[in-house]
Amino acid sequence: MKFGILVNEGPYQHQAADSAYLFAKAALEMGHEVPRVFFYMDGVNNANKLQEPQQDDRNVVQRWSELAESHEVDLVVCVAAALRRGIKDEILAPGFRISGLGQLVEIGVEADRLVTFGD
Amino acid sequence: MDEFEDDAGVIKRFMFVNRKAPHGTIYALESLEVVLISAAFDQDVSLAFLDDGVYQLRKDQDPAAVDMKNFSRTYRALEGYDIEKLYVCKDSLAERGLTEEDLVVDVEVLDRAAMARTMAEQDVVLSF
């Protein structure tokens, strides 16, 4: 099955960002496709490479980048939501790109299921 | 992207589910932004308003005192984008002492069972 994923919450503050990652990873390991994860609302903060969690904690941003690299997942950050929150190209972690909300509608059309993680 | 080109012409039923009050959080405003973008993609778009989401359609909003934009008039503009299917939960309205007459747009009021059936008919449900 082909899954699109929408992440609407930022990292560390809310479980949704972790759940989205764990879902995507599990789906890929089971042989499903996850062509794109779309980050909207506070979810855009998942792309901020300046984050430095404590060493004994998970690194939410870095593990998205690793997922993108190992499984060719397209990590798309909404431009309008990003600009509002100060997320710009120069602070994007590897694997992320900034684009428009059309990319969310597009993955909704393309995927068999679009799964939202948020409040 | 090339991988998506084969889907040109596919029309899916998209439902945007709105469950939160218009102000206090950004969910309602950013939901509306996706709705407006979706209009450009020739999809079959509908909106559902449940729980505190029914307040998004309330007439006579004036959020100036909390320094927020009054975006409620945008719901009236949706018709111009060919987004005409707006469903409101009957029970959510009643629980908040509201009626259809309190809303800025014409809507279809559905009880919870009918709302559930309508959701089940969708291809894509986005909840904000």
Side-chain angles (χ1 to χ4, degrees):
Chain A
M1 186 169 289
K2 193 178 285 189
F3 288 104
I5 294 178
L6 169 62
V7 184
N8 286 337
E9 303 292 343
Y12 303 106
Q13 173 92 0
H14 201 295
Q15 177 71 31
D18 292 276
S19 297
Y21 167 78
L22 294 170
F23 180 93
K25 186 166 169 281
L28 289 163
E29 284 169 0
M30 290 174 73
H32 298 294
E33 294 173 63
V34 182
R36 178 175 297 158
V37 180
F38 192 88
F39 298 87
Y40 193 41
M41 301 193 165
D42 271 359
V44 299
N45 291 306
N46 282 275
N48 183 353
K49 72 176 180 188
L50 300 178
Q51 291 176 36
E52 287 182 34
Q54 291 183 337
Q55 281 191 351
D56 59 351
D57 197 0
R58 72 219 187 281
N59 190 322
V60 171
V61 178
Q62 190 181 319
R63 65 188 189 179
W64 280 122
S65 294
E66 287 164 2
L67 197 72
E69 191 182 11
S70 56
H71 295 278
E72 293 183 5
V73 183
D74 186 22
L75 305 178
V76 181
V77 179
C78 168
V79 60
L83 289 178
R84 245 179 216 131
R85 294 165 176 85
I87 303 294
K88 300 188 174 184
D89 279 327
E90 53 266 39
I91 60 164
L92 283 188
F96 287 90
R97 66 188 177 98
I98 293 179
S99 188
L101 279 167
Q103 302 281 307
L104 170 60
V105 180
E106 193 180 69
I107 191 63
V109 174
E110 160 76 7
D112 299 308
R113 296 282 187 280
L114 181 64
V115 188
T116 303
F117 293 86
D119 202 10
Chain B
M1 291 181 63
D2 293 341
E3 63 186 288
F4 294 111
E5 279 179 6
D6 294 338
D7 287 299
V10 173
I11 296 177
K12 284 192 174 181
R13 284 160 298 186
F14 276 70
M15 175 178 267
F16 294 90
V17 180
N18 300 285
R19 310 188 68 161
K20 297 188 173 67
H23 302 288
T25 67
I26 203 169
Y27 295 101
L29 177 65
E30 292 200 326
S31 174
L32 195 52
E33 288 184 353
V34 191
V35 168
L36 294 172
I37 295 288
S38 72
F41 279 75
D42 297 325
Q43 301 296 306
D44 180 356
V45 175
S46 62
L47 275 64
F49 297 86
L50 330 172
D51 305 334
D52 278 351
V54 300
Y55 286 126
Q56 294 179 24
L57 297 181
R58 205 177 167 176
K59 274 181 191 162
D60 300 327
Q61 292 179 39
D62 181 10
V66 287
D67 209 14
M68 294 289 156
K69 267 198 297 197
N70 184 357
F71 55 87
S72 65
R73 41 181 87 87
T74 310
Y75 297 103
R76 286 208 299 259
L78 290 177
E79 211 176 354
Y81 291 83
D82 292 327
I83 296 172
E84 292 167 344
K85 284 182 275 191
L86 275 62
Y87 305 110
V88 172
C89 174
K90 184 181 181 183
D91 310 77
S92 300
L93 279 178
E95 285 159 10
R96 288 159 185 80
L98 297 173
T99 68
E100 221 175 316
E101 285 68 48
D102 294 311
L103 306 181
V104 291
V105 280
D106 292 330
V107 299
E108 192 172 334
V109 176
L110 303 175
D111 64 24
R112 286 202 163 106
M115 187 67 88
R117 281 197 298 276
T118 308
M119 279 187 186
E121 291 166 0
Q122 304 301 315
D123 297 305
V124 182
V125 177
L126 288 145
S127 185
F128 294 103

